């Protein structure tokens, strides 16, 4: 059973993804895991994001996707299809248990 805090944070994420999520007017994005079938999901994109590693060093990431873990669990090589194009999950960045962050590569 989830805690009151978890329920509160899930509601906060719902509002955040509704306002800032991708394709909120053009339909839902989809995620396809390697060897799997597509499923609808909510996605937020960040561009030119500075990420801090465990060693304290910063690196720049061109495109970062945030995925809600109760909808999908990302896997390296999985594909995101958005209105603006297709993207491959390249590197896992981190998770807070409710949202995963992934570095993306555009697929042409």
């Amino acid at each position: 059973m989830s805690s009151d805090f978890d329920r509160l944070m899930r509601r906060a994420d719902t509002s955040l993804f509704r306002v800032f999520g991708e394709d909120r007017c053009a339909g839902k994005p989809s995620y396809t895991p390697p060897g799997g079938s597509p499923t609808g999901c909510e996605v937020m994109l960040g561009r030119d994001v500075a990420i801090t590693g465990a060693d304290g060093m910063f690196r720049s990431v061109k495109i970062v996707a945030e995925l809600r873990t109760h909808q999908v669990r990302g896997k390296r090589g999985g594909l995101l299809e958005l209105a603006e194009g297709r993207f491959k999950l390249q590197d896992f960045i981190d998770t807070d248990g409710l949202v995963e962050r992934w570095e993306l590569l555009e697929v042409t």
Side-chain angles (χ1 to χ4, degrees), residues 44-75:
M44 285 192 313
L45 293 183
R47 297 190 183 277
D48 299 319
V49 177
I51 302 296
T52 307
D55 58 2
M57 299 296 293
F58 287 91
R59 69 182 176 101
S60 180
V61 177
K62 186 174 178 182
I63 305 172
V64 171
E66 296 187 44
L67 305 169
R68 298 187 74 185
T69 57
H70 78 275
Q71 296 173 343
V72 296
R73 296 284 180 155
K75 297 239 187 259

Side-chain angles (χ1 to χ4, degrees), residues 17-91:
F17 277 81
R18 184 178 17 198
V19 173
F20 296 107
E22 294 298 309
D23 301 333
R24 53 192 179 275
C25 296
K28 278 195 160 197
S30 68
Y31 170 71
T32 307
S37 40
T39 185
C41 63
E42 294 174 281
V43 179
M44 285 192 313
L45 293 183
R47 297 190 183 277
D48 299 319
V49 177
I51 302 296
T52 307
D55 58 2
M57 299 296 293
F58 287 91
R59 69 182 176 101
S60 180
V61 177
K62 186 174 178 182
I63 305 172
V64 171
E66 296 187 44
L67 305 169
R68 298 187 74 185
T69 57
H70 78 275
Q71 296 173 343
V72 296
R73 296 284 180 155
K75 297 239 187 259
R76 185 183 178 110
L79 292 176
L80 276 176
E81 296 212 28
L82 309 172
E84 69 178 83
R86 293 176 48 166
F87 299 88
K88 181 166 76 170
L89 276 61
Q90 179 182 341
D91 285 322

